[in-house]
Amino acid sequence: MTAHPKGDFDLARAVWQRAEGDTSEAAVEVAFVDDLIGMRNSAEPDGPVLVFTQAEWDAFVAGAQDGEFDLD
């Protein structure tokens, strides 16, 4: 279990997912465990995990959908 100020993200219970059809070696993967969301780089499965609350995740997804992170 990874201790985190937002709560404990239980890596043992994490079921990592990536975008459908993504077969790249270094994909972004997410896992939903209880009320926390973890994000990692699939190329480093034992590396760091970013942990989000549901509110933070919702804000991130909304920003992505609105184009806040577009590089154009």
Side-chain angles (χ1 to χ4, degrees):
M1 194 171 298
T2 301
H4 193 276
K6 297 174 187 171
D8 292 328
F9 185 79
D10 188 353
L11 289 170
R13 293 179 40 226
V15 177
W16 295 100
Q17 308 169 56
R18 61 173 72 188
E20 188 174 326
D22 188 344
T23 59
S24 62
E25 189 173 311
V28 172
E29 295 182 322
V30 296
F32 299 84
V33 178
D34 298 326
D35 59 347
L36 295 175
I37 296 95
M39 181 186 291
R40 73 177 184 182
N41 179 344
S42 66
E44 297 182 40
D46 295 322
V49 174
L50 300 175
V51 178
F52 299 90
T53 64
Q54 187 64 54
E56 291 168 333
W57 183 254
D58 291 344
F60 168 73
V61 171
Q65 290 173 334
D66 287 344
E68 287 181 33
F69 310 114
D70 290 354
L71 298 176
D72 297 328

